[in-house]
Amino acid sequence: MRLHVVTGKGGTGKTTVAAALALALASGGRKVLLVEVEGRQGIAQIFDLPPLPYEERRIAVAPDGGDVYALAVDPEEAMLEYLEMFYGMRRAGRALTKMGVLDFATTIAPGFRDVLVTGKTSEAVRRRGKDGKRVYDAVVLDAPPTGRITRFLNVTEEVADLARVGPIKNHSDLVRGVVKSPETAVHFVTLLEEMPVQETLDGLADLQAAGLPPGGVFINMVREPLLPQPVLDKAVKGRVDTAELVAGLEAAGLATGGDAKALAEALAEELAEHARRTEIERDERDTLTAAERPSYELPLLADGVDLAGLYELAESIRTQGAA
Amino acid sequence: MRKPATLDIDAILDDSGTRIIVCCGSGGVGKTTTAAALGLRAAERGRCAVVLTVDPARRLAQAMGLSELDNTPRRIVECESGGQLFAMMLDMKRTFDEIIEAHADPERARQILSNPFYQSLSSSFAGTQEYMAMEKLGQLRRSDEWDLIIVDTPPSRSALDFLDAPERLGRFLDGRFIRLLTAPAKAGGRSAFRIFNAGFGFVAGALTKLLGAQVIKDLQTFVSALDAVFGGFRQRAELTYKLLQAPGTAFLVVAAPERDAMREASYFVERLAEERMPLAGLVVNRVHESPAATLSGVRSAAAAEDLQSRGEHELTAAVLRLHTGRMQLAAREHREQDRFVTAHPTVPVAQVAAMSEDVHDLAGLRRIGELMAKA
């Protein structure tokens, strides 16, 4: 795989997973580009860096060698670069920008914006160095959320309707060639909750209908099981051995008598709720299985996402064979 | 945690002066659920409310009895209080088509509706949705059929795009480029590009080279056809913008107690202040509390370790570890909210406890409303 597109419902940790995947892919001395397209500077925040310019720069080193580069794509800069690269029209580009042409183009046909962004990404995927080898071993794209992903990737179809001939059409075809190639995979990030799972399934269906290549499903923020299944099965039905809890709390010196009983009941309530949630998570996992995509589970990071957490996730991605 | 002022949801809903509630927040924080729950609670308290939702999750739509995209409000419930709840999902293409049909003569309308640029503009996700949400809000308000409109804002890239919509539309219409493109009609059909000076000619050449002549032609047809329609369009967008600043409007920023969502919430609060939009407060969804909060995470962890090292009371030890995790989560959520409260000490806050299941029906929405009002 060369191009990994990462999407997911808002709040599922899409950017985190994209960053961890980039780190995982870079390990073993490879060179990976992590691309951000929504102007949110999410990569900079996760890696604890100042805002990224429109420039490929190295932002992290994989544990056993290998580099992660990052790029925050700015549509306007991408357009100028594109004009210069293909037409040698730097000056005209500036003039167009000054006249608000880009504003105009993205308002009238927001697809153009997406073409510029996917175009820049495709260019990085295809770029070769002087030695004829690809510059990047892999490119990871932190893409728009699930609801917009098919449209975003399929934007070349939309533009093809507008521009049937001419350079934009040629450029669109080139992008489409990369996006639809067998070297591309679109991954979904989800949580074990109803709405993200439903959106993942809907997104996969849309993707397949559009002839885009589906990748894996990353189940994010998975909690380790703390209690044996039989205990949970009983707790779901509200059956918790509070007498045992009272004895345990007293043995631990946390409370005695009535206090211990009250605390035991409160903890039993917490346990029952946990059991209900675990049951829902199990159902959602089953639902995802029906999609028949490879799935990978990433642990919930107790301290939230920081740099150390990213490396932990990258390691987990590697051991599960997703990179 | 610093104690923020409490957001009194019922006071807002019961105030007959409140005519519009706008729920804004980043994606995935439960904005649509909040809007629907507010609508139901308002209706049960006697208001005639309509919820305008932009992109609801399927199940939530089902919870409100909406099965398909429908551009007109449908009645969901009629309450004993005399209140009613209506809901609708925005169909942005249809809303746009209706505007064109209402403001252009039939021939021009046909030209516009069949133009490829119009089709792209009206059905594309980015940008148009914001214009249309604003337009629909204005329509609902002008119809005066509901005494409370609750709107859930589009899941934009930068979620306040809807505020920028009128300005962007203005900039778009006043732009030199659109004047350039509309020029042929005004210049008696001569090529748009020939009548301008060398600078324009240079740009025009670049554009033709870039886009191809057919695209330029389609674009010109579209822009000149739309030109006549746009004036009123912009005027209404500006009216809606003013309506949002008026005292009858209450903005609620919706967030979840996580870093990104709270950071976005801070940004919204600042942006709303900049635009002089009336902020009512912050709703924090999915807050985790513990029924056993008297037992701290630290003591719980130590006790679990103690029991385990002695090889006793396995169940209790496991339950204590579970509790430790819960208390750590609660503490982290408190910290994230704290940052917000420190930065915005005067913004009233309502917290909604996390529920283990998603909302499936009106009972679920009612429960959310109760939790919100209890805060």
Side-chain angles (χ1 to χ4, degrees), chain B residues 8 12 56 72 82 92 121 129 131 145-146 153 165 188 227 250 307:
Chain B
D8 190 345
I12 297 171
T72 42
M92 68 177 169
L121 176 68
Q129 210 173 18
Y131 300 146
E145 281 179 56
W146 296 275
T153 54
D227 196 30
L307 288 178

Side-chain angles (χ1 to χ4, degrees), chain A residues 9-10, chain B residues 24-32 34 254-256 258 261 283 285-286:
Chain A
K9 182 175 159 52
Chain B
C24 51
S26 51
V29 296
K31 216 169 19 185
T32 309
T34 301
V254 185
E258 289 145 20
V283 175
N285 280 332
R286 295 199 292 263

Side-chain angles (χ1 to χ4, degrees), chain A residues 8-22:
Chain A
K9 182 175 159 52
T12 56
K14 175 170 70 71
T15 304
T16 306
V17 173
L21 180 61

Side-chain angles (χ1 to χ4, degrees), chain B residues 67-299:
Chain B
S67 56
E68 57 189 35
L69 203 68
D70 188 348
N71 218 18
T72 42
R74 301 278 163 201
R75 185 157 62 205
I76 308 295
V77 281
E78 214 172 339
C79 309
E80 283 171 25
S81 61
Q84 299 183 64
L85 173 64
F86 289 74
M88 65 164 288
M89 276 191 256
L90 180 76
D91 179 338
M92 68 177 169
K93 178 149 177 38
R94 204 184 302 169
T95 305
F96 210 150
D97 289 356
E98 283 166 10
I99 298 172
I100 301 296
E101 281 159 0
H103 292 86
D105 60 73
E107 172 52 23
R108 189 168 285 221
R110 197 193 52 76
Q111 262 183 25
I112 297 176
L113 295 181
S114 62
N115 185 286
F117 277 93
Y118 173 77
Q119 283 163 4
S120 162
L121 176 68
S122 62
S123 56
S124 82
F125 236 1
T128 310
Q129 210 173 18
E130 285 78 18
Y131 300 146
M132 292 307 127
M134 292 280 280
E135 173 69 26
K136 202 75 204 176
L137 173 61
Q139 284 178 13
L140 292 176
R141 183 65 183 81
R142 280 192 301 274
S143 80
D144 216 21
E145 281 179 56
W146 296 275
D147 62 20
L148 178 64
I149 304 164
I150 299 167
V151 47
D152 135 51
T153 54
S156 322
R157 300 171 201 213
S158 63
L160 275 180
D161 273 3
F162 73 99
L163 286 179
D164 298 329
E167 197 214 310
R168 268 174 55 199
L169 190 61
R171 210 167 56 210
F172 172 70
L173 291 167
D174 294 335
R176 290 158 75 193
F177 186 60
I178 206 158
R179 293 205 309 257
L180 172 68
L181 284 171
T182 50
K186 290 167 190 164
R190 268 186 297 152
S191 161
F193 301 134
R194 221 166 294 147
I195 59 165
F196 283 97
N197 59 33
F200 273 113
F202 175 59
V203 167
L207 272 180
T208 311
K209 193 168 169 189
L210 191 65
L211 297 169
Q214 182 58 42
V215 177
I216 297 285
K217 199 161 159 277
D218 279 347
L219 204 53
Q220 280 176 328
T221 317
F222 168 58
V223 169
S224 49
L226 211 51
D227 196 30
V229 182
F230 258 146
F233 198 33
R234 174 167 53 159
Q235 205 181 7
R236 284 199 308 284
E238 276 163 6
L239 281 177
T240 310
Y241 187 81
K242 291 213 179 79
L243 189 64
L244 290 178
Q245 289 176 322
T249 300
F251 275 84
L252 286 178
V253 175
V254 185
E258 289 145 20
R259 182 158 308 178
D260 287 352
M262 293 307 295
R263 187 161 34 206
E264 286 281 297
S266 277
Y267 166 75
F268 280 100
V269 166
E270 287 154 23
R271 220 12 247 290
L272 288 170
E274 246 170 62
E275 307 278 340
R276 296 162 199 266
M277 296 287 169
L279 174 69
L282 173 75
V283 175
V284 186
N285 280 332
R286 295 199 292 263
V287 175
H288 292 88
E289 302 288 348
S290 166
T294 50
L295 177 59
S296 77
V298 176
R299 281 183 73 208

